[in-house]
Structure formats: structure tokens, C-alpha cells
Amino acid sequence: MTERPYRVVQWATGAMGKAALRTMLDHPSTEVVGAYVYGSSKVGRDVGDIAGRPATGVLATDDVEEVLALRPDVVVHAARIGAYGSHDDDVVRLLESGANVLSINGYTDPHARPGERLERLQRAGETGGASVMGVGLNPGFVAEQVAVMATGVCASLEHVEVVESADARELRDPRYLFDTLGFGAEMDAVDPNDPSWGPAGALNGMYEEVLAAMAHHLGLELERVETDHACHPALTDLDLHAGTVRAGTVGHTRWRWHGVVGGRRRLTMSIHWFVETAHLDAPDPPLWRVHVTGHPGLRMSIDLEKHPDDRSRMGAEQYAVAGQVINAIPHVVAAAPGVTVRPALTPARGAGAIDLSAR
């Protein structure tokens, strides 16, 4: 804990960004000094109002220059997932200004793709004396921290697999469901292993970085990443909050990335996004499964749950992302300037004082 709270700015206030904003307003280690928003309806609103908290006197803005002028210690970057590297211009401006950046959607380990992009990010950090670090649940917590930690029981290690099962039926953003994740696309019109397909282009780079970070922590030399993606059709028309997924169109995407080390697939990251359960191995899977093959091996299943006293509409996943942010802030502030990989251990720091009121 520093002598003063960390001065933080929340960049974007969608579902996950709002959760981070609310938690940082509540937490004694952080002082929210600003928020960057995309929607014009939020410009000029008090950040407390956006987060369902009392007024703070801090107003949201859509002007990047206003954010830079605040001189925050950390900007929590929670913009919508886009094409790999699509947020680099903003991140570079923040780094050059001296603001450390925590991203919940990527920047897990940009060393996975050496070249001009990595050099640009590193140069921006060195210019501003700031660092960029990935944080979140996946990317973030489950593969780069939990799965890596689980290998600590192994005297020899053969393979690590992480499987996420994400129910997309409650998503309310049509652009996210249909464009970013690819639901509702005609089955014969898409090849999920073709990186030119939008969802693949958005996700491949991000999860290559996940495997690179895992390899970094495990002391493995990652040679390349191979994809093994598949789509399954919806069996019936599905009317969802975000729109209708028609029978025969994409109703389940199984994304799978393999990290090749020594000519063999040693690391695997799988994500099942689904709006019906017909193509799952089990109808009610845990959020995450971790399978470590080694001597000895290990299997674990992980779910998240809300505090029993919390009556808000926010989900456990939203709160968990916010917790990851709070616990990563000291590490990104202390990191050497440039691109950095988050430590494999970023535990909770004290009891905190989180407001559980239903707002």
C-alpha cells in the first residue's frame, strides 16, 4: 500500500468497466480521478452516478486530452474487444503521457509477436516511464495464474489445458454477440480457422499472448501457436436479449489454441461460447476446468459466486475482474517501463471495504 491512494482513471464503462469503476470508488487504495466514456449520454455525468454510487464531483469525458491532463497513476483500459492491436494508438498515448495501463482485453504478453508493434509499445512506455500490463479473468486469471500455480505439484510436466465454458444467452449487446463472437453467422460462410474472419481476427492474437504468458511463467520456449477452432449450428431458433440466433446458424463456437514447445503441443486454451448446450460435453459445465498432465497430474473445476449479502444485478464475473484490477495496480505501477507480464501471483491486499448495497 502506498502512502496515498493510487490515482486511477476508468477507460470505458460497459459491464466490466462499470464493475471496475464501482470497486475502485469503494476501495481505500484507489482514488478515481476520471473516466473516459464512448457514449455521448455519459459525457458530463458524475462517475458515482454511472457506477451506482454517491456523487463524487468527478465527471466523465470523451476527450482524451482531458484524461491525459489528469496525470493518473493508472488507467484501467476496458474498451470493447476489437481486431488485434486496434487499441494501440490509445494505449501508446497513455503510456507516453506517463500513465500506466491495465488492460482487461489483451496486452497479456505482446512479446508473443515480436516486431514493430512490440517495439512501439515498449518505446512508448520508456518515453513516459510507464508500463502496460494485461489483467482480467481470461485473459488474466485462470490460465496465467491458476493453471501455472497448479503445476507446482508436478515433478515433470507434459501438458496444461484450460477449458472455459461461457454461456452467452444473457449477453445484451448485439454487436458483441453477433459481430465479436460470431453467433448467428451462416455455417457455410465462415471458417473459424481463417484469421480474416472477424471473430478469429479479434481473438487469435489475444490468446496467443495468453499462451506466451503461460510459457513465460513456466520457463518454456513457445515456438508457435496452432488453432483448432470449430463452430456448431443452433438446433432451433433462439430468441435472446441481444437478438435471434436462427436454427442452422452458428450457435456454439469452440475456440482452441495450442502452444507448441519442442515440436509438441504442451499448452492448450479452449473456450466454449454457447447459446444452447447441445454441443457441450455436459449440460452444466463449470466456468473453468484445468487439466495438468504430469507426474503427478491434476484436475480442478472452478466457478465464481457472489457475496451472499450482495443483491445487485452485477455478476460474480464482473466483480472478479474488478478484484483482479485492484490487486494488479501496485504491480503495474512498480513494473519497469514498457511491456510487462503480470506476475503469476497477485493476491488480495487486505480486507478492503467494499459496499454491498444493491445499486
Side-chain angles (χ1 to χ4, degrees):
M1 180 84 60
T2 60
E3 294 181 0
R4 61 168 177 82
Y6 296 104
R7 291 168 49 83
V8 296
V9 167
Q10 177 59 44
W11 186 290
T13 55
M16 293 301 180
K18 179 179 175 181
L21 175 60
R22 175 182 288 199
T23 303
M24 291 189 297
L25 286 169
D26 289 348
H27 205 276
S29 72
T30 49
E31 176 192 359
V32 176
V33 297
Y36 180 84
V37 294
Y38 293 109
S40 58
S41 64
K42 294 181 180 179
V43 174
R45 285 178 60 187
D46 192 287
V47 298
D49 179 48
I50 293 173
R53 288 291 181 262
T56 65
V58 176
L59 305 182
T61 182
D62 61 355
D63 187 334
V64 177
E65 291 300 326
E66 290 185 11
V67 171
L68 301 181
L70 293 169
R71 306 294 295 174
D73 297 314
V74 179
V75 173
V76 178
H77 197 270
R80 180 182 285 111
I81 295 173
Y84 182 73
S86 60
H87 297 297
D88 284 356
D89 287 349
D90 290 331
V91 171
V92 164
R93 289 185 70 183
L94 292 168
L95 291 172
E96 288 177 341
S97 77
N100 297 288
V101 178
L102 281 176
S103 170
I104 70 166
N105 290 322
Y107 303 91
T108 307
D109 187 0
H111 301 95
R113 291 188 179 185
E116 183 178 345
R117 176 180 185 249
L118 175 61
E119 293 168 4
R120 184 187 181 207
L121 291 168
Q122 181 65 31
R123 187 166 57 249
E126 291 174 355
T127 297
S131 58
V132 58
M133 181 184 293
V135 68
L137 296 183
N138 187 22
F141 173 67
V142 65
E144 303 96 293
Q145 294 192 318
V146 173
V148 166
M149 176 199 69
T151 66
V153 302
C154 301
S156 62
L157 179 65
E158 296 178 10
H159 184 255
V160 181
E161 180 180 28
V162 177
V163 181
E164 176 174 294
S165 297
D167 190 338
R169 288 173 287 192
E170 295 302 314
L171 294 177
R172 296 177 178 272
D173 184 343
R175 287 194 298 170
Y176 188 54
L177 184 74
F178 296 108
D179 298 337
T180 302
L181 297 180
F183 286 99
E186 297 293 335
M187 289 289 296
D188 59 1
V190 300
D191 175 3
N193 292 289
D194 179 356
S196 67
W197 185 42
L203 297 175
N204 280 350
M206 191 159 61
Y207 285 96
E208 286 178 18
E209 292 188 3
V210 168
L211 295 180
M214 292 177 69
H216 169 83
H217 289 312
L218 292 169
L220 301 174
E221 185 173 344
L222 185 67
E223 297 167 7
R224 64 184 182 278
V225 174
E226 299 173 346
T227 66
D228 180 21
H229 306 322
C231 295
H232 301 291
L235 302 185
T236 61
D237 288 352
L238 299 163
D239 293 322
L240 309 172
H241 294 294
T244 299
V245 175
R246 300 294 180 190
T249 66
V250 173
H252 179 148
T253 52
R254 188 218 63 202
W255 303 98
R256 184 175 291 162
W257 298 268
H258 301 283
V260 177
V261 176
R264 296 193 300 118
R265 292 177 171 180
R266 299 284 302 278
L267 306 171
T268 298
M269 179 75 239
S270 297
I271 306 176
H272 293 268
W273 277 102
F274 60 91
V275 293
E276 63 180 8
T277 61
H279 300 285
L280 292 171
D281 295 334
D284 188 24
L287 178 57
W288 296 305
R289 288 180 287 132
V290 176
H291 182 198
V292 177
T293 304
H295 180 61
L298 175 147
R299 291 179 185 269
M300 68 169 67
S301 299
I302 306 169
D303 278 307
L304 296 171
E305 62 182 21
K306 291 174 65 171
H307 190 284
D309 294 336
D310 183 83
R311 298 293 182 268
S312 74
R313 290 179 294 177
M314 293 175 60
E317 291 85 354
Q318 291 170 267
Y319 283 120
V321 168
Q324 285 275 287
V325 166
I326 285 290
N327 295 318
I329 285 174
H331 298 279
V332 74
V333 171
V339 174
T340 189
V341 179
R342 189 169 55 132
L345 185 63
T346 54
R349 300 176 294 118
I354 301 302
D355 187 349
L356 296 174
S357 61
R359 299 179 62 181

